[in-house]
């Protein structure tokens, strides 16, 4: 890249006009102002953050979904791609040199990136999600305050370059990782800054064309007493306010998107101190950096510019360094996170692909995982210690689930077609085919249904439900049912009608039953009597549509804290939900697979989450994009444990 310095020799004092208004500019500290485009071009560079510990500049390219690190001394530029979505900001984590928090889409994520290892892509951990009740918003600007709390906001959906108003919010996220709305609604949450005394918080909601000031209480992190510190419209300033920083004198530096510069303002008096013009139009943000914090780094955008406009302003989309301002910035804060939350989550594709992997069941006795491939009519056993997979083909029909028989190592109950069946299998070896014994049939009055998900309760009863066969991508509604079956083989219809009977779980106290009918887009809870198996008093604990969750709820499990883990079919991940409050705790993204079917805790400590997925119905392009569609995954480092899965009880086996 050719470096060009635009050196402005400025007098000690002069007058100039900003759009017809005479502004008195006092530059007694500046005789030489140097404006240098240092790196580029980027589509929409934003969110500059100077890391004083390593003397490097971090910034993002929003739509390119990239985080960059720039070394002003060596001119080295490194980057990493984040799959979760557009990136609004990046902030280092305090005390963790290779960890960062970032805003991707509406995910607040933890990124692990050692830039010395030439990694080009990162699998982040989703710490929390915001704007669950909104559609089309995304994270925009964000920073950390003096105590390491995160402050940042979202921007509303854009239609024809116009942001829909009042769809976004400003959030605060403490080390407990629970987002708290501080200001709502806003339209385009942007620049943030705190003064040196740490008693004033400055904030920009771009369409207001104003910089607002709030009293700030640093111990509790509260804001109050809003007032307007500067109004661009009243001062006839062109462009709109975007990112912002502050110097040690307490004066603000505001990027002017569409205004071609950075304006320096005294927020106490509302006085314009100076306007630094840049050879670009779209200026997005700024921050102080360098060894003395006396260099103003400025990000810009080339987004939506024509070839002619790029020819006229060739440094659009570059990052600039401005020196000679005669002022100093403040050290940028890092995000503080609870150490126990920092366990490294790892996601590993184990075996596959399968057409429709489902029904994972961890057997704590053998320390093996059982699961099925529904339409392949196969039951699989995976040994994590050796990596060996064995399988058996069941002739009776599509296999929806498999559960071991209590006290037996070679007998299993499965759902095949509409039949609950019993079969024998020495799972140490694969078996080409097996004819199972029919115990009882469900939906005997129908031919267009099949058994789907199934589990066993603490009393040894088997619970499983039916669903209609898919036709041209459509599932017929309301022709299935949920059943329970005891060791007397008496079939009891528990819930009817349902459309796609799916996830089942019981709470730690064994008095609540959780259930999913996928086409309802809801997780419901029932009071549960473990002695009689009676369920009652239905209530909704989580609604996908109201929380703006894409995809269908599918299989489900529960951890020892009583929180649910729900596979999202078509959503590419797993939701972790507190069913008591309806709070979405986190979203674990499964990279390279979107159709996630079910989950089960396993491993010696029951702290590994095994995940099944599907590739059925995907076209050639989708399969290329989803390289691990249909795989069995293992997720480690979640910091929670599950319960041992129950086996089906029979009085005796002949």
């Amino acid at each position: 890249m050719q470096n060009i310095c635009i050196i402005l020799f400025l007098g000690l004092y002069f007058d100039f006009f900003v759009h017809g208004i005479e502004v008195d500019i006092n530059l007694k500290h500046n005789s030489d102002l140097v404006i240098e485009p240092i790196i580029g071009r980027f589509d929409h560079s934003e969110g500059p953050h100077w890391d004083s510990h390593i003397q490097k500049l971090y910034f993002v390219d929003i739509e390119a979904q990239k985080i960059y690190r720039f070394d002003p001394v060596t001119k080295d530029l490194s980057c990493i791609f984040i799959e979760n979505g557009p990136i609004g900001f990046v902030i280092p984590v305090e005390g963790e040199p290779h960890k960062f928090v970032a805003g991707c889409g509406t995910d607040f994520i933890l990124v692990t990136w050692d830039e010395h290892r030439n990694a080009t892509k990162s699998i982040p951990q989703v710490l929390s999600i915001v704007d669950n009740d909104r559609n089309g918003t995304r994270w925009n600007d964000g920073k950390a305050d003096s105590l390491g709390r995160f402050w940042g906001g979202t921007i509303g959906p854009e239609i024809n370059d116009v942001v829909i108003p009042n769809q976004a919010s400003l959030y605060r996220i403490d080390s407990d990782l629970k987002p708290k709305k501080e200001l709502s609604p806003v339209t385009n949450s942007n620049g943030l800054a705190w003064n040196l005394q740490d008693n004033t918080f400055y904030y920009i909601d771009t369409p207001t064309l104003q910089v607002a000031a709030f009293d700030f209480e640093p111990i509790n992190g509260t804001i109050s007493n809003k007032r307007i510190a500067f109004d661009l419209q009243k001062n006839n300033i062109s462009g709109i306010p975007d990112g912002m920083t502050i110097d040690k004198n307490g004066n603000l530096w505001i990027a002017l998107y569409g205004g071609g510069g950075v304006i320096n303002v005294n927020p106490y008096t509302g006085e314009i101190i100076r306007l630094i013009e840049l050879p670009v139009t779209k200026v997005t943000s700024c921050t102080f950096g360098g060894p003395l914090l006396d260099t103003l780094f400025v990000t810009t955008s080339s987004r939506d510019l024509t070839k002619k406009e790029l020819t006229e302003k060739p440094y659009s989309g570059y990052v600039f360094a401005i020196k000679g301002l005669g002022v100093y910035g403040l050290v940028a804060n890092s995000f503080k996170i609870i150490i126990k939350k920092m366990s490294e989550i790892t996601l590993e594709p184990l075996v596959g692909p399968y057409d429709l992997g489902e029904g994972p069941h961890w057997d704590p006795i053998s320390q093996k995982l059982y699961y099925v491939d529904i339409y392949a009519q196969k039951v699989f056993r995976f040994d994590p210690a050796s990596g060996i997979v064995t399988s058996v083909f069941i002739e009776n029909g599509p296999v929806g689930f498999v559960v071991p028989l209590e006290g037996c190592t070679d007998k299993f109950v499965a759902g095949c077609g509409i039949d609950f069946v019993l079969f024998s299998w020495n799972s140490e070896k694969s078996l080409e085919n097996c004819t199972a014994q029919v115990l009882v049939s469900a939906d005997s009055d129908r031919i267009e249904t099949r058994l789907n998900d199934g589990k066993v309760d603490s009393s040894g009863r088997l619970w499983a439900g039916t669903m209609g066969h898919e036709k041209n991508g459509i599932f017929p509604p309301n022709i299935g049912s949920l059943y329970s079956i005891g060791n007397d083989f008496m079939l009891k219809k528990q819930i009817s009608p349902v459309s796609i009977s799916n996830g089942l779980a019981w709470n730690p106290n064994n008095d609540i039953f959780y259930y999913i009918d996928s086409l309802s887009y809801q997780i419901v809870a029932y009071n549960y009597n473990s002695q009689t198996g009676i369920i009652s008093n239905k209530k909704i604990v989580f609604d996908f549509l109201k929380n703006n969750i894409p995809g269908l709820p599918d299989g489900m499990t529960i951890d020892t804290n009583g929180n649910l883990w729900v596979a999202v079919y078509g959503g590419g991940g797993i939701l972790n939900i507190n069913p008591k409050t309806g709070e979405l705790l986190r979203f674990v993204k499964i990279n390279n697979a979107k159709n996630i079917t079910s989950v089960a805790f396993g491993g010696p400590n029951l702290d590994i989450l095994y995940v099944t997925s599907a590739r059925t119905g995907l076209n050639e392009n989708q399969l290329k994009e989803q390289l691990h569609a249909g795989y069995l995954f293992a997720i480690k480092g979640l910091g929670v444990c599950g319960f041992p899965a129950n086996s089906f009880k029979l009085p005796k086996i002949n």
Side-chain angles (χ1 to χ4, degrees):
M1 183 199 75
Q2 180 184 6
N3 289 334
I4 295 181
C5 293
I6 305 166
I7 303 177
L8 308 178
F9 295 95
L10 303 174
L12 295 179
Y13 182 90
F14 68 92
D15 294 338
F16 82 102
F17 289 81
V18 180
H19 306 288
I21 295 181
E22 185 174 343
V23 182
D24 201 25
I25 305 296
N26 189 345
L27 297 177
K28 58 186 177 182
H29 295 297
N30 296 332
S31 57
D32 298 324
L33 190 65
V34 180
I35 302 175
E36 179 187 4
I38 56 174
I39 193 75
R41 158 182 308 130
F42 305 99
D43 182 57
H44 194 72
S45 62
E46 254 281 12
H49 178 104
W50 178 259
D51 189 334
S52 296
H53 297 289
I54 62 171
Q55 295 289 296
K56 306 293 188 295
L57 180 72
Y58 290 94
F59 60 97
V60 303
D61 192 347
I62 294 181
E63 278 81 14
Q65 299 178 212
K66 289 183 177 180
I67 298 172
Y68 287 90
R69 188 197 77 157
F70 178 68
D71 186 335
V73 176
T74 66
K75 308 300 181 185
D76 287 339
L77 180 71
S78 55
C79 74
I80 193 163
F81 175 82
I82 308 297
E83 293 186 343
N84 294 49
I87 306 179
F89 61 85
V90 61
I91 303 171
V93 174
E94 186 173 280
E96 299 285 343
H98 303 306
K99 294 185 185 295
F100 307 82
V101 289
C104 293
T106 55
D107 297 341
F108 185 68
I109 65 172
L110 178 67
V111 177
T112 301
W113 175 31
D114 183 351
E115 59 274 7
H116 300 297
R117 295 182 179 177
N118 292 322
T120 58
K121 187 182 294 186
S122 174
I123 300 175
Q125 173 186 350
V126 178
L127 302 176
S128 55
I129 303 174
V130 298
D131 286 358
N132 292 319
D133 57 342
R134 302 290 184 182
N135 186 26
T137 63
R138 66 162 176 82
W139 280 112
N140 203 34
D141 209 350
K143 292 181 180 179
D145 68 17
S146 59
L147 290 186
R149 293 172 292 238
F150 169 79
W151 294 70
T154 53
I155 177 175
E158 296 180 63
I159 299 178
N160 298 323
D161 293 329
V162 176
V163 179
I164 298 177
N166 300 321
Q167 297 296 304
S169 299
L170 172 69
Y171 292 90
R172 190 187 88 207
I173 300 179
D174 300 351
S175 57
D176 63 2
L177 304 178
K178 295 180 180 180
K180 303 171 182 66
K181 280 185 182 179
E182 294 290 340
L183 297 173
S184 190
V186 300
T187 299
N188 182 356
S189 187
N190 239 313
L192 312 95
W194 293 263
N195 65 344
L196 179 63
Q197 293 75 25
D198 210 23
N199 58 16
T200 305
F201 169 65
Y202 297 102
Y203 175 68
I204 292 171
D205 179 10
T206 293
T208 67
L209 302 179
Q210 296 173 335
V211 180
F214 297 82
D215 291 343
F216 179 68
E217 202 289 301
I219 302 301
N220 296 315
T222 56
I223 56 175
S224 61
N225 188 27
K226 177 183 176 181
R227 63 264 187 199
I228 304 304
F230 185 75
D231 190 305
L232 274 74
Q233 192 169 18
K234 288 183 179 179
N235 284 276
N236 200 28
I237 301 298
S238 68
I240 57 178
D242 204 321
M244 172 173 62
T245 192
I246 195 167
D247 61 36
K248 283 188 176 179
N249 299 325
N251 297 320
L252 299 172
W253 298 77
I254 306 162
L256 298 176
Y257 191 85
V262 178
I263 193 169
N264 183 205
V265 172
N266 183 330
Y268 300 104
T269 64
E271 173 195 2
I272 301 172
I273 301 173
R274 51 186 151 181
L275 172 67
I276 309 298
E277 294 186 5
L278 296 173
V280 299
T281 303
K282 298 180 177 182
V283 183
T284 58
S285 194
C286 55
T287 194
F288 282 100
L292 301 177
L293 294 175
D294 60 349
T295 300
L296 188 68
F297 291 102
V298 182
T299 52
T300 70
S301 175
S302 64
R303 186 174 61 183
D304 298 329
L305 295 182
T306 64
K307 289 184 178 179
K308 180 182 178 182
E309 290 170 326
L310 289 173
T311 301
E312 293 173 348
K313 295 188 180 294
Y315 293 106
S316 298
Y318 275 65
V319 178
F320 289 79
I322 304 177
K323 300 179 180 180
L325 291 168
V327 296
Y328 302 89
L330 305 177
V331 174
N333 301 306
S334 297
F335 180 67
K336 292 182 181 178
I337 192 169
I338 297 175
I339 296 300
K340 67 179 182 180
K341 297 277 186 178
M342 288 295 297
S343 57
E344 185 70 24
I345 288 183
T346 61
L347 171 67
E348 180 184 2
L350 298 173
V351 289
Y354 303 103
D355 188 49
L356 185 52
E358 255 284 8
H361 177 102
W362 177 260
D363 182 10
I365 305 300
S366 66
Q367 292 288 295
K368 308 295 189 293
L369 182 77
Y370 292 92
Y371 55 98
V372 303
D373 189 348
I374 294 179
Y375 290 112
Q377 299 179 214
K378 285 188 175 182
V379 175
F380 293 87
R381 191 197 76 161
F382 174 69
D383 184 346
S386 65
I388 294 174
V389 178
T390 56
S391 65
V392 59
F393 176 83
I394 308 295
E395 294 181 347
N396 299 55
V399 186
F401 66 87
V402 63
V403 178
L405 210 59
E406 188 176 78
C408 299
T409 60
D410 62 348
K411 294 185 185 297
F412 303 84
V413 175
C416 294
I418 60 171
D419 298 331
F420 291 88
V421 302
L422 175 68
F423 68 95
S424 299
W425 173 39
N426 176 8
S427 57
E428 295 291 334
K429 299 178 181 180
S430 292
L431 189 61
E432 288 188 4
N433 61 74
C434 173
T435 302
Q437 174 188 349
V438 177
L439 301 176
V440 65
S441 297
D443 290 354
S444 55
D445 56 336
R446 295 184 180 277
I447 60 171
E448 68 271 39
T449 62
R450 66 165 177 85
L451 285 162
N452 199 36
D453 208 352
K455 288 185 181 179
V456 177
D457 66 18
S458 60
S459 297
R461 298 182 199 88
L462 176 60
W463 295 65
T466 56
M467 60 177 285
H469 289 290
E470 176 189 358
K471 296 179 181 178
N472 300 320
I474 304 297
F475 293 95
N478 300 321
I479 64 172
S481 301
L482 174 67
Y483 297 90
S484 66
I485 176 175
N487 59 18
D488 56 2
F489 300 145
M490 294 296 294
L491 198 63
K492 180 178 180 180
K493 189 177 286 187
Q494 295 280 2
I495 304 172
S496 191
V498 299
S499 297
I500 302 179
S501 185
N502 241 315
L504 312 97
W506 290 264
N507 73 331
N509 293 331
N510 208 28
D511 57 7
I512 295 177
F513 169 65
Y514 298 105
Y515 177 66
I516 291 172
D517 177 5
S518 292
L519 292 189
S520 73
Y521 294 89
Q522 296 173 339
I523 303 167
V524 297
Y526 293 85
N527 293 341
Y528 173 69
N529 187 312
S530 62
Q531 298 300 316
T532 63
I534 293 174
I535 58 175
S536 60
N537 190 27
K538 174 184 175 182
K539 57 185 177 182
I540 298 168
V541 297
F542 191 82
D543 189 302
F544 270 47
L545 298 180
K546 289 183 178 179
N547 284 276
N548 195 31
I549 304 296
L552 286 170
D554 205 317
M556 171 173 62
T557 191
I558 195 166
D559 61 36
T560 55
N561 297 321
N563 297 320
L564 298 172
W565 297 79
V566 183
V568 185
Y569 193 91
I574 301 155
L575 297 182
N576 182 205
I577 296 165
N578 183 334
K580 297 177 182 177
T581 64
E583 179 186 3
L584 178 58
L585 302 176
R586 52 181 158 174
F587 176 76
V588 181
K589 181 176 176 60
I590 306 296
N591 292 289
N592 299 318
K594 292 197 70 172
N595 294 337
I596 310 305
T597 57
S598 195
V599 288
F601 282 103
N605 299 315
L606 295 173
D607 58 352
I608 300 171
L609 190 65
Y610 288 100
V611 182
T612 52
S613 67
R615 58 184 290 154
T616 182
L618 298 181
N619 60 38
E620 186 176 345
N621 289 332
Q622 289 170 324
L623 288 172
K624 289 179 180 179
E625 294 173 355
Q626 301 177 45
L627 296 177
H628 291 131
Y631 271 68
L632 171 70
F633 298 85
I635 303 177
K636 300 178 182 179
L638 292 169
V640 296
C641 301
F643 292 100
N646 300 307
S647 297
F648 185 54
K649 292 182 181 180
L650 286 182
K652 64 178 181 178
I653 298 296
N654 297 323

